């Protein structure tokens, strides 16, 4: 109605959450679901870990089911939140050369971890799962992952494969996928999550004994 309105605006960075987390009821088990590997994923995971650890969790479930991946750097940075300094995260092979990427941080964890995977867990999800399994000792539960072992880039709207990545033990999973330690197929309930809780509860009871 021809009225001039004035507003005071504050500019700030907005974080689009790509994870959800909780302490599982009646347990000391933490749970983090990673939706995708966004650029700021490691910051979100680190914040979630601090909150869960303040609730005295003794073990952790990381869920990357139906996660098709994202930024390679996010997988590397998130892995570094758990691994000991110097531990291998992954390797890249390109143009006949091999480059190793190890954890260079002082941050580490030592409690038991189960990673949930399925046939839609791909790329960065598989890098994180493989790093935690082979360099941390985590247990994989679910069904075989997708098997995307190539790294792709986009330059001037052209997407191309620039390298293939290898697990810490030097394995290429392209077209093969990661095989879980415990193969569990969901029926109607979430049997995969239930199995993870069972394994970590047994581990906790063993430590008490």
């Amino acid at each position: 109605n021809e009225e001039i309105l004035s507003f005071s605006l504050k500019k700030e960075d907005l974080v689009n959450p790509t994870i959800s987390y909780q302490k599982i009821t009646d347990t000391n088990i933490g749970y983090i679901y990673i939706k995708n590997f966004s650029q700021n994923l490691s910051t979100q995971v680190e914040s979630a870990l601090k909150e869960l650890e303040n609730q005295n969790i003794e073990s952790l479930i990381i869920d990357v089911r139906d996660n098709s991946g994202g930024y390679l750097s996010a997988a590397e940075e998130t892995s570094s939140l758990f691994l000991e300094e110097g531990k291998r995260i992954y390797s890249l092979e390109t143009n006949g050369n091999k480059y190793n990427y190890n954890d260079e941080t002082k941050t580490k964890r030592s409690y038991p971890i189960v990673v949930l995977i399925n046939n839609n867990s791909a790329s960065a999800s598989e890098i994180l799962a493989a790093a935690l399994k082979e360099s941390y000792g985590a247990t994989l539960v679910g069904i075989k992952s997708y098997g995307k072992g190539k790294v792709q880039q986009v330059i001037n709207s052209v997407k191309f494969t620039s390298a293939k990545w290898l697990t810490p033990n030097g394995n290429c999973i392209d077209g093969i996928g990661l095989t879980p330690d415990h193969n569990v197929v969901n029926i109607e309930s979430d049997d995969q999550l239930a199995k993870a809780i069972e394994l970590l509860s047994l581990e906790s009871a063993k430590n008490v004994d």
Side-chain angles (χ1 to χ4, degrees):
N1 298 325
E2 299 185 358
E3 180 182 1
I4 296 177
L5 304 177
S6 298
F7 301 91
S8 295
L9 303 179
K10 179 183 178 182
K11 186 174 74 171
E12 59 182 277
D13 293 330
L14 298 178
V15 176
N16 182 25
T18 57
I19 70 169
S20 58
Y21 61 94
Q22 63 177 350
K23 182 181 178 183
I24 296 176
T25 306
D26 298 327
T27 74
N28 288 321
I29 302 171
Y31 171 87
I32 298 178
Y33 171 69
I34 301 177
K35 181 179 179 181
N36 57 61
F37 283 75
S38 61
Q39 284 183 310
N40 60 5
L41 173 65
S42 64
T43 301
Q44 296 182 52
V45 172
E46 185 173 29
S47 177
L49 288 172
K50 289 179 179 178
E51 186 172 332
L52 291 170
E53 288 163 357
N54 285 336
Q55 298 178 50
N56 299 315
I57 64 166
E58 297 176 354
S59 56
L60 180 68
I61 297 169
I62 298 177
D63 191 344
V64 292
R65 291 175 295 178
D66 298 321
N67 183 327
S68 60
Y71 287 94
L72 177 62
S73 59
E76 181 177 347
E77 292 163 3
T78 302
S79 298
S80 294
L81 295 174
F82 300 95
L83 304 185
E84 290 184 10
E85 184 179 11
K87 288 287 188 177
R88 182 69 43 81
I89 301 173
Y90 65 93
S91 300
L92 287 183
E93 282 190 353
T94 180
N95 296 325
N97 298 312
K98 181 179 178 182
Y99 304 93
N100 297 324
Y101 294 83
N102 300 333
D103 183 6
E104 298 179 351
T105 71
K106 300 293 184 182
T107 305
K108 65 177 181 178
R109 265 78 186 178
S110 59
Y111 42 67
I113 293 177
V114 169
V115 183
L116 297 178
I117 60 173
N118 65 9
N119 59 343
N120 292 319
S121 302
S123 191
S125 295
E126 294 173 298
I127 290 175
L128 175 63
L132 289 176
K133 175 179 170 59
E134 297 181 4
S135 291
Y136 184 92
T139 301
L140 303 187
V141 171
I143 59 176
K144 185 177 288 188
S145 64
Y146 181 85
K148 184 179 179 184
K150 292 185 173 67
V151 177
Q152 295 177 315
Q153 293 179 291
V154 178
I155 298 179
N156 296 326
S157 300
V158 177
K159 186 175 184 179
F160 62 96
T161 298
S162 58
K164 67 177 181 180
W165 67 269
L166 309 177
T167 72
N169 291 343
N171 300 314
C172 178
I173 66 159
D174 194 56
I176 300 171
L178 295 170
T179 300
D181 299 290
H182 297 269
N183 190 76
V184 181
V185 179
N186 280 345
I187 306 300
E188 294 180 0
S189 59
D190 195 342
D191 296 331
Q192 295 167 345
L193 178 59
K195 183 64 176 180
I197 295 172
E198 175 193 343
L199 291 170
L200 292 175
S201 297
L202 290 172
E203 185 70 26
S204 179
K206 183 168 54 177
N207 291 336
V208 170
D209 293 341

